[in-house]
Amino acid sequence: MAVDASRCAQIFSERFGSAPAVIARAPGRVNLIGEHTDYNHGFVLPMAIERDTMIAGRPLNEPVLRLWAENLGAAGEFSLNAIARQPDAPWADYLLGVALELQRLGRPVSGAEAVILGDVPLGCGLSSSAALEMAALAFFEALGGFRLDDAEAARLGQRVENGFLGLSSGIMDQFISRCGRADHALFLDCRSLERRLVPVVMEQAVFVIANTNCPRGLTGSKYNERVAECGEAVRVLREKTGREGTHLRDFTASDLDAARGGMSEVVYRRARHVITENDRTREACEALSAGDLVRFGILMNESDRSLREDYEVTNRELDAMTSIARSLPGCLGSRMTGAGFGGCTVSLVLRDDADRFCAELSRRYQEATGRAGETYVTRAADGAGAVSG
Ligand code: GLA
């Protein structure tokens, strides 16, 4: 476990004067391949990482959340009646959004005092938001003595993002934060939510995450713009092919070529990314299952090129990080991960070269960009749940 539960309990005791009744946690994630496919009802292959958000607390008899966010040094008290967003404490929106969705499902949402402690880097493409949402859900579940079905839990988190927070994101991040399994990646069909665990304990290689430490800026609006462009591609594809699809998942590369004349160059490239990425992700899942790491690395590189040239969600720092990574000994493949526009990359690196790879990557990235990057070698971790209660 990434964050120490006893430290979290101790912070709670210092703040609120007793031991917590419940401690819940949820991990961040790294997506290995299948980027910007989830909201197109496609395929993804993420794994949960050994970095957590943890919430320790006890129930209150009044309908309020009294919170202390240790990493931010921020406190706040929020009513659970008529829940509203908190412009002065946006971090609390994730918990409040979860509480609101639980109320809508008719589930008991207890008032509580609680501390939040985490080590998922914030806003870096490792799903600190989903980790906070899924930790909040596990916390309310433990307090209320109920447990949602995993798919329902992930959908609830997605509704918080889509409705309460206004980001048109897909279901991947909440799903893997809830359902991750130690030493496994999760191949997920984002339409049916059918999934398969794929072992990622590899004798010869490790996944290395590299943080560009580059603020993501306009992520929200650019993200929603991509979602809209995919919607536009579907509209033209339906019209030109006469087929019934609702999402890019429903169309093939030859459908796209047939419809090309009806859409702008940009929309065509966006759709080409999504359609080819779905194919790559399925193939990558097979390659990983078969232990074909060389093929997996090649598919990572192709995914990155498509995200850079067709989907245009990389930036100078991400491109520097991946191209330096690819030039280093032992690197089988490297790509941006998450929404993009900054954040992190993930590389597949031969185990014997990993230490040197991390040191060299950080050094050359700083030389190229003037920014200090960070690298993390992580195992795949378990999904969300109560730690004790
Ligand atoms: C963000 C979103 C996910 C997914 C990725 C891109 O992490 O929250 O739903 O769309 O971007 O693959």
Side-chain angles (χ1 to χ4, degrees):
M1 191 166 310
V3 176
D4 183 16
S6 56
R7 177 156 169 251
C8 197
Q10 189 195 336
I11 295 169
F12 181 82
S13 306
E14 283 162 13
R15 283 267 143 196
F16 294 104
S18 78
V22 161
I23 303 179
R25 59 162 280 280
R29 65 98 188 90
V30 61
N31 189 23
L32 303 180
I33 193 164
E35 219 65 82
H36 288 276
T37 46
D38 60 353
Y39 52 83
N40 290 296
H41 282 190
F43 304 95
V44 294
L45 187 63
M47 69 184 201
I49 59 175
E50 291 176 305
R51 299 224 162 203
D52 282 340
T53 297
M54 198 170 273
I55 303 181
R58 68 172 169 223
L60 288 174
N61 286 328
E62 26 170 354
V64 297
L65 289 181
R66 208 167 287 143
L67 302 175
W68 170 251
E70 172 74 10
N71 300 80
L72 305 175
E77 183 166 325
F78 312 96
S79 171
L80 289 171
N81 294 328
I83 288 175
R85 282 186 68 173
Q86 304 294 319
D88 296 332
W91 54 273
D93 286 346
Y94 299 93
L95 290 96
L96 291 168
V98 168
L100 180 64
E101 288 298 332
L102 282 172
Q103 289 173 349
R104 288 181 175 155
L105 290 178
R107 297 289 185 165
V109 181
S110 171
E113 39 196 18
V115 302
I116 307 162
L117 174 69
D119 66 355
V120 187
L122 300 181
C124 290
L126 299 178
S127 285
S128 53
S129 318
L132 181 50
E133 287 154 9
M134 292 298 103
L137 178 57
F139 179 73
F140 287 124
E141 285 177 326
L143 285 183
F146 64 93
R147 186 168 165 92
L148 299 187
D149 159 80
D150 284 340
E152 195 185 357
R155 282 203 190 94
L156 182 147
Q158 190 188 11
R159 287 200 298 278
V160 172
E161 296 276 339
N162 296 170
F164 200 60
L165 303 171
L167 190 67
S168 310
S169 53
I171 200 161
M172 167 172 69
D173 304 345
Q174 290 78 11
F175 206 97
I176 185 64
S177 181
R178 174 81 174 198
C179 301
R181 181 78 65 81
D183 297 332
H184 291 79
L186 185 105
F187 177 72
L188 177 69
D189 176 334
C190 296
R191 168 169 281 163
S192 66
L193 300 189
E194 271 169 39
R195 63 260 201 195
R196 173 146 71 95
L197 288 166
V198 185
V200 283
V201 186
M202 302 163 293
E203 234 169 75
Q204 320 93 313
V206 290
F207 285 109
V208 177
I209 298 170
N211 189 345
T212 61
N213 273 326
C214 174
R216 288 188 303 169
L218 293 165
T219 309
S221 59
K222 286 194 184 159
Y223 186 97
N224 287 352
E225 187 182 289
R226 293 297 180 279
V227 177
E229 286 162 345
C230 291
E232 167 62 7
V234 169
R235 190 189 65 72
V236 178
L237 276 159
R238 282 165 62 100
E239 192 184 292
K240 295 282 177 196
T241 64
R243 299 238 319 276
E244 271 307 305
T246 54
H247 290 79
L248 281 174
R249 155 75 176 275
D250 300 311
F251 298 94
T252 63
S254 46
D255 292 334
L256 185 61
D257 281 339
R260 184 171 188 167
M263 57 184 74
S264 71
E265 225 294 285
V266 167
V267 167
Y268 169 76
R269 283 190 287 114
R270 303 297 190 249
R272 182 167 63 183
H273 164 71
V274 174
I275 289 171
T276 57
E277 184 78 351
N278 276 330
D279 292 343
R280 278 188 291 271
T281 304
R282 274 183 294 206
E283 194 190 334
C285 179
E286 296 314 317
L288 192 58
S289 308
D292 188 348
L293 302 185
V294 169
R295 182 69 195 143
F296 192 87
I298 291 170
L299 291 163
M300 289 174 84
N301 289 338
E302 286 175 5
S303 164
D304 191 60
R305 190 192 50 72
S306 179
L307 287 157
R308 184 171 61 248
E309 293 174 7
D310 278 355
Y311 220 62
E312 296 181 283
V313 289
T314 66
N315 64 359
R316 189 180 143 255
E317 285 81 1
L318 283 169
D319 292 344
M321 195 70 98
T322 50
S323 69
I324 295 166
R326 281 190 283 266
S327 77
L328 293 174
C331 180
L332 301 178
S334 186
R335 56 183 293 279
M336 58 146 277
T337 184
F341 311 108
C344 287
T345 67
V346 58
S347 306
L348 182 59
V349 181
L350 293 179
R351 196 176 280 280
D352 290 346
D353 291 309
D355 288 346
R356 220 163 11 119
F357 174 88
C358 291
E360 260 314 87
L361 182 59
S362 301
R363 191 182 66 73
R364 293 214 211 158
Y365 173 74
Q366 177 144 28
E367 221 170 65
T369 63
R371 285 178 191 276
E374 262 173 288
T375 55
Y376 325 106
V377 178
T378 177
R379 286 177 49 185
D382 278 326
V387 176
S388 70

